[in-house]
């Protein structure tokens, strides 16, 4: 800034000589006049005491101050009777750090911060600065060079892109009304409960075309998204990262403002209200969280104080070759503290019900996506990233300990052992893990022409070899419908009728298979185009019966899944699953049983993955009694041909497939049928 913007000609404040000690900071002001002749009167910010205690600094240095968001960043406080904002930032290599903003004409000479010794933390209290003030940090690095202005790593709000300033914001004004939900959450055993997740990108779920195709606000999303997801029967909404990010095309995964809910849809209080309304409607809210990497934007964490502060200096450790982003230095106490505090921040301040951690595999392996010579082994010569592993374990321990009832989900694409086992048993401590192998195998199978599926049969059966090694969640996520991968509907082979039938079968198979469920937005209406963050879903498709049929099918599957204990209660043990016949590859038919904890909770599932109606198909029945057809993906209500079994069938006392009873069924084309066992009275 030009030097003539700086206040000058300060007058020294005085007090009576008889007074032995300096007055209280609020009892006097400094008077001066600007270069323009404007008189001003201000409190002396350097007369106010420190707010960070020595114990705070010690815990931060140790990496064990897990509520640093209560101390760092910008906080509106009343100090010595004066209202203002306390700023604190970590920049150990800096020669000088100043808060700059409209309140001081963006001149770093006006408000240099005070260094707190060897901790590397700088702080200052600026009287009379108010909520809504835009600010950044001006940093002079170790070598005397002034860096690009930096946004606050702990900023609670940010300007809407392309602006990059941090905004002073309060997070303690919203009055929550979700106490009943939180109490219920703490008592719920989520491993034995239905979890059906609707994955959403808020900026493209629905837009307002008559207003220049703008985004919905958080409040409008509350009015529209919450009742929609509830009507479809979902238990949770999972949001692609809503933390502030500079580039729309990153979908939020290149997070820059880790503590700021994006301003694209409204204020922090607006987002809190959205979550509160979800809870009052009985919907949990999960957030995608990205501690695996961060972008290189100059106003962000990259070379924050002129040195490699949050990242490694060596690009073999500190950069991602795939994404062009930087990797956190998980071995540094303050960095680990920053990330764990961030996880707790969303659970605490925003009442989030869980975190889905993105790109976990890239954190666990030092050679992730790297060729020989492009990575640095650990101290034992191995490829495991030991500090990252310790960070993940600690994050899960602390999060589950402080917020009982929340869940954490790992997007981990390798066979890393014990991802969902507790750290005290050697695991990483996640609640659930995405079953990427199941997803890939299933989509490959369903993409094959039915005439060739007998040669791909093992792709459906293989998942049961490892289905109970982890607490798996079955995802059809946003990653599968972008970048040339096509929509789920158009992955399906055949003519239009067969594509829709295959899609209905795909969803039915997902809900019958052991594991919790996730589906990306738009797939419930059979979106035809690939997803794009730049436009709304194609809601106009619902004018056609075929698309409405898919929506009805997902709604019924969600409600059936929630009401039938056999479909969700024993997801992670062999006792909940039993093959009837896994080997009928020639007919592309699978049959199996799902069981609940009670003997009477039994559902028999038969899948016919060919467009042939199979009449007189024999299936073994484990018990005598009536088998009621409770779901048929070929029902006319969904757009099918209405082939079926007239509501159910009494088991015949004829042994079949090693069972004492049998059913003689009609298998609809490209369909799944579910039968609920009704014991004989």
């Amino acid at each position: 800034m030009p030097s003539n913007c700086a206040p000058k000609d300060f007058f020294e404040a005085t007090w009576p000589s008889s007074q032995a000690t300096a007055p209280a900071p609020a009892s006097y002001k400094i008077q001066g006049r600007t270069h323009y002749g404007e008189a001003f009167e201000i409190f002396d910010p350097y007369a106010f005491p420190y707010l960070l205690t020595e114990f705070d600094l010690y815990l931060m240095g140790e990496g064990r101050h897990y509520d640093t968001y209560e101390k760092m960043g910008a906080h509106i406080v009343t100090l010595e009777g004066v209202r203002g904002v306390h700023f604190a930032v970590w920049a150990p290599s800096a020669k000088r750090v100043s808060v700059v903003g409209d309140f001081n004409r963006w001149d770093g000479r006006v408000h240099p911060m005070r260094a707190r010794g060897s901790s590397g933390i700088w702080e200052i209290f600026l009287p009379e600065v108010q909520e809504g003030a835009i600010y950044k940090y001006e940093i002079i690095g170790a070598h005397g060079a002034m860096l690009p202005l930096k946004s606050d790593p702990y900023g609670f709000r940010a300007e809407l892109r392309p602006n990059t300033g941090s905004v002073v914001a309060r997070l303690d004004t919203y009055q929550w009304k979700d106490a009943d939900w939180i109490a219920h959450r703490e008592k719920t055993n989520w491993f034995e409960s239905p979890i059906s997740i609707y994955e959403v990108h808020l900026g493209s779920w629905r837009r307002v075309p008559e207003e220049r195709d703008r985004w919905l606000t958080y409040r409008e999303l509350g009015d529209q998204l919450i009742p929609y997801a509830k009507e479809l029967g979902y238990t949770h909404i999972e949001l692609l990262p809503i933390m502030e990010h500079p580039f729309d095309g990153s979908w939020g995964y290149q997070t820059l403002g880790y503590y700021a809910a994006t301003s694209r849809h409204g204020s922090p209080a607006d987002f809190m209200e959205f979550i509160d309304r979800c809870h009052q409607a009985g919907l949990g809210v999960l957030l995608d969280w990205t501690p695996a990497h961060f972008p290189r934007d100059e106003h962000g964490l990259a070379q924050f104080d002129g040195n490699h502060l949050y990242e490694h200096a060596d690009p073999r450790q500190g950069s991602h070759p795939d994404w062009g982003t930087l990797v956190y230095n998980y071995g540094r106490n303050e960095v680990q503290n920053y990330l764990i505090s961030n996880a707790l921040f969303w659970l605490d301040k925003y009442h989030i019900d869980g975190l889905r951690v993105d790109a976990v595999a890239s954190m666990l392996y030092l050679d992730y996506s790297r060729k020989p010579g492009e990575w640095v082994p650990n101290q034992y010569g191995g490829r495991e990233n030991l500090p990252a592993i310790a960070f993940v374990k600690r994050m899960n321990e602390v999060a589950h300990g402080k917020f009982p009832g929340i869940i954490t989900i790992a997007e981990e694409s390798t066979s890393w052992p014990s991802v969902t086992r507790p750290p005290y048993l050697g695991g990483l401590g996640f609640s659930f893990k995405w079953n990427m192998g199941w997803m890939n195998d299933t989509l490959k199978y369903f993409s094959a022409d039915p005439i060739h599926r007998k040669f791909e049969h093992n792709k459906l059966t293989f998942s049961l070899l490892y289905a109970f090694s982890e607490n798996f969640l079955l995802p059809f996520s946003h990653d599968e419908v972008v970048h040339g991968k096509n929509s789920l509907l158009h992955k399906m082979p055949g003519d239009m009728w067969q594509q829709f039938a295959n899609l209905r079968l795909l969803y039915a198979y997902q809900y019958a298979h052991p594991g919790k469920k996730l589906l990306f937005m738009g797939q419930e209406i059979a979106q035809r185009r690939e997803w794009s963050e730049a436009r709304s879903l194609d809601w106009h498709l619902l004018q056609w019966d075929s698309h409405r049929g898919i929506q009805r099918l997902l709604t019924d599957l969600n409600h059936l899944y929630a009401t039938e204990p056999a479909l969700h209660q024993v997801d992670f043990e062999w006792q909940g699953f039993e093959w009837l016949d896994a080997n009928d590859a020639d007919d592309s038919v699978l049959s199996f049983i799902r069981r609940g904890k009670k003997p009477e909770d039994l559902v028999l599932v038969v899948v016919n993955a060919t467009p042939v109606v199979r009449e007189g198909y024999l299936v073994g029945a484990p018990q005598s009694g009536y088998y009621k057809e409770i779901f048929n993906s070929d029902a006319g209500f969904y757009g099918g041909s209405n082939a079926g079994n007239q509501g159910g069938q009494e088991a015949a006392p004829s042994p079949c497939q090693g069972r004492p009873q049998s059913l003689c069924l009609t298998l609809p084309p490209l369909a799944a049928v579910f039968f609920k066992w009704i014991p004989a009275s």
Side-chain angles (χ1 to χ4, degrees):
M1 299 292 292
S3 60
N4 62 5
C5 291
K8 67 175 191 177
D9 299 327
F10 283 93
F11 297 101
E12 182 177 355
T14 61
W15 55 90
S17 57
S18 59
Q19 190 167 334
T21 60
S27 66
Y28 72 100
K29 290 185 175 181
I30 297 175
Q31 297 177 335
R33 192 173 299 276
T34 70
H35 182 75
Y36 303 103
E38 300 168 341
F40 63 86
E41 186 177 78
I42 59 172
F43 288 104
D44 178 7
Y46 304 100
F48 289 85
Y50 293 123
L51 284 188
L52 298 181
T53 67
E54 292 296 330
F55 191 52
D56 287 327
L57 303 180
Y58 171 77
L59 287 179
M60 291 178 194
E62 289 283 303
R64 294 186 292 113
H65 199 315
Y66 296 131
D67 59 352
T68 50
Y69 51 86
E70 301 283 13
K71 305 287 185 175
M72 304 293 285
H75 293 268
I76 299 173
V77 297
T78 299
L79 188 59
E80 302 284 342
V82 178
R83 190 76 163 168
V85 178
H86 177 258
F87 297 90
V89 67
W90 178 54
S93 296
K95 281 190 172 180
R96 190 192 78 189
V97 181
S98 300
V99 182
V100 294
D102 290 333
F103 44 82
N104 60 19
R105 302 190 182 185
W106 297 91
D107 192 321
R109 295 169 296 179
V110 179
H111 290 132
M113 302 176 76
R114 297 189 286 184
R116 295 300 307 274
S118 61
S119 69
I121 292 174
W122 303 71
E123 70 170 306
I124 191 172
F125 173 72
L126 297 186
E128 299 181 317
V129 174
Q130 298 179 2
E131 184 173 12
I134 299 170
Y135 70 98
K136 285 187 177 181
Y137 295 114
E138 181 183 280
I139 299 175
I140 296 178
H143 304 294
M146 185 176 294
L147 306 178
L149 295 182
K150 294 289 188 177
S151 301
D152 190 346
Y154 282 89
F156 293 154
R157 189 173 182 180
E159 290 185 286
L160 179 63
R161 58 97 179 103
N163 296 329
T164 57
S166 299
V167 181
V168 175
R170 292 183 61 185
L171 300 182
D172 57 355
T173 58
Y174 182 76
Q175 299 297 314
W176 290 88
K177 306 175 186 66
D178 63 349
D180 290 343
W181 167 267
I182 298 298
H184 165 75
R185 186 184 73 183
E186 292 179 1
K187 299 174 183 177
T188 300
N189 181 345
W190 293 108
F191 302 108
E192 297 180 358
S193 301
I195 295 181
S196 180
I197 301 169
Y198 188 52
E199 187 187 33
V200 180
H201 177 260
L202 292 182
S204 60
W205 180 72
R206 182 176 287 158
R207 293 197 174 191
V208 186
E210 58 272 22
E211 297 181 24
R212 301 178 64 183
D213 206 34
R214 69 167 175 83
W215 301 301
L216 295 179
T217 66
Y218 288 124
R219 290 186 176 180
E220 289 171 331
L221 287 160
D223 293 337
Q224 300 177 41
L225 174 58
I226 293 173
Y228 179 78
K230 190 66 178 176
E231 183 179 357
L232 262 62
Y234 285 100
T235 64
H236 292 74
I237 296 172
E238 180 179 318
L239 305 180
L240 272 62
I242 55 81
M243 301 79 172
E244 198 59 78
H245 50 284
F247 177 47
D248 292 354
S250 77
W251 314 329
Y253 288 101
Q254 293 194 13
T255 300
L256 195 144
Y258 272 76
Y259 287 81
T262 181
S263 296
R264 288 167 172 84
H265 309 287
S267 69
D270 292 337
F271 186 49
M272 290 177 183
E273 181 187 25
F274 171 79
I275 297 166
D276 200 359
R277 291 174 65 182
C278 284
H279 289 170
Q280 293 176 57
L283 280 172
V285 181
L286 310 175
L287 284 189
D288 276 12
W289 186 51
T290 61
H293 60 129
F294 61 93
R296 298 174 181 266
D297 299 66
E298 64 179 13
H299 64 284
L301 299 180
Q303 297 232 333
F304 186 79
D305 63 354
N307 281 332
H308 298 87
L309 185 60
Y310 288 89
E311 70 272 32
H312 290 274
D314 190 333
R316 296 175 298 171
Q317 298 172 291
S319 64
H320 265 305
D322 287 348
W323 306 314
T325 51
L326 298 173
V327 181
Y328 282 104
N329 182 352
Y330 304 105
R332 190 161 192 170
N333 287 345
E334 295 90 346
V335 173
Q336 189 173 128
N337 203 145
Y338 173 76
L339 292 172
I340 293 177
S341 293
N342 185 245
L344 301 182
F345 168 81
W346 293 103
L347 303 173
D348 178 11
K349 297 299 184 182
Y350 285 90
H351 293 204
I352 294 299
D353 301 293
L355 300 169
R356 177 265 193 186
V357 184
D358 182 62
V360 172
S362 74
M363 300 166 63
L364 299 178
Y365 297 97
L366 294 166
D367 62 345
Y368 181 85
S369 197
R370 299 178 189 274
K371 299 175 183 177
E374 296 180 349
W375 59 283
V376 179
N378 64 32
Q379 65 200 72
Y380 304 108
R383 59 198 286 254
E384 298 80 14
N385 190 336
L386 302 180
I389 295 165
F391 154 68
V392 167
K393 290 182 176 181
R394 187 61 182 150
M395 182 277 295
N396 277 313
E397 284 179 333
V398 175
H400 288 291
K402 286 183 174 289
F403 300 95
I406 62 98
I407 62 177
T408 57
I409 304 168
E411 186 213 14
E412 203 287 304
S413 55
T414 74
S415 56
W416 187 278
S418 300
V419 171
T420 57
R421 299 295 178 261
Y424 66 82
L425 294 178
L428 296 181
F430 287 99
S431 310
F432 304 102
K433 172 182 172 174
W434 274 21
N435 195 335
M436 310 287 278
W438 172 88
M439 179 194 68
N440 289 324
D441 286 347
T442 300
L443 291 178
K444 286 178 182 177
Y445 179 88
F446 275 87
S447 297
D449 190 289
I451 198 171
H452 301 304
R453 284 177 176 171
K454 63 182 179 181
F455 304 113
E456 306 285 345
H457 194 72
N458 67 310
K459 285 187 169 55
L460 290 193
T461 59
F462 180 68
S463 63
L464 271 301
L465 294 178
Y466 62 87
F468 310 110
S469 62
E470 299 277 7
N471 302 331
F472 280 120
L473 186 150
L474 310 180
F476 290 132
S477 75
H478 65 279
D479 278 329
E480 304 316 306
V481 293
V482 291
H483 299 326
K485 294 181 181 178
N486 228 327
S487 66
L488 290 186
L489 177 66
H490 286 170
K491 293 178 191 288
M492 303 296 108
D495 59 23
M496 185 178 294
W497 190 93
Q498 290 191 16
Q499 284 185 321
F500 277 92
N502 271 303
L503 189 61
R504 293 193 298 269
L505 175 58
L506 175 71
Y507 294 153
Y509 172 66
Q510 178 190 24
Y511 277 74
H513 192 286
K516 308 309 180 186
K517 324 298 178 187
L518 178 143
L519 189 68
F520 184 55
M521 65 179 198
Q523 306 316 309
E524 81 281 1
I525 62 172
Q527 178 89 5
R528 290 181 175 275
R529 294 190 293 178
E530 283 191 340
W531 168 63
S532 169
E533 80 286 345
R535 62 173 181 256
S536 170
L537 297 180
D538 294 329
W539 295 104
H540 65 276
L541 294 174
L542 289 174
Q543 65 186 296
W544 286 288
D545 289 340
S546 54
H547 292 271
R548 287 200 304 273
I550 297 294
Q551 191 182 57
R552 292 167 180 160
L553 176 123
L554 257 301
T555 301
D556 285 354
L557 277 173
N558 273 324
H559 286 98
L560 183 66
Y561 167 65
T563 54
E564 286 297 332
L567 295 178
H568 66 251
Q569 205 170 60
V570 191
D571 266 330
F572 309 121
E573 298 175 4
W574 269 107
Q575 292 86 337
F577 180 90
E578 178 184 345
W579 281 116
L580 289 173
D581 188 358
N583 300 312
D584 190 1
D586 287 341
D587 292 334
S588 295
V589 174
L590 289 175
S591 53
F592 53 87
I593 294 169
R594 292 298 310 276
R595 298 181 186 273
K597 296 175 73 173
K598 297 178 180 178
E600 62 269 24
D601 290 327
L602 184 153
V603 172
L604 189 151
V605 178
V606 186
V607 171
N608 175 19
T610 66
V612 178
V613 178
R614 302 194 182 278
E615 297 181 349
Y617 192 92
L618 291 176
V619 173
Q623 307 284 349
S624 62
Y626 186 73
Y627 287 79
K628 179 182 179 182
E629 189 176 86
I630 58 173
F631 177 81
N632 181 342
S633 68
D634 189 52
F637 184 63
Y638 309 136
S641 65
N642 259 338
N645 296 274
Q646 298 180 338
Q649 191 176 122
E650 191 79 27
S654 302
C656 180
Q657 297 172 334
R659 275 77 181 176
Q661 310 285 322
S662 62
L663 300 172
C664 185
L665 302 175
T666 295
L667 304 187
L670 294 173
V673 283
F674 297 6
F675 298 89
K676 179 178 175 63
W677 175 54
I678 310 296
S681 56

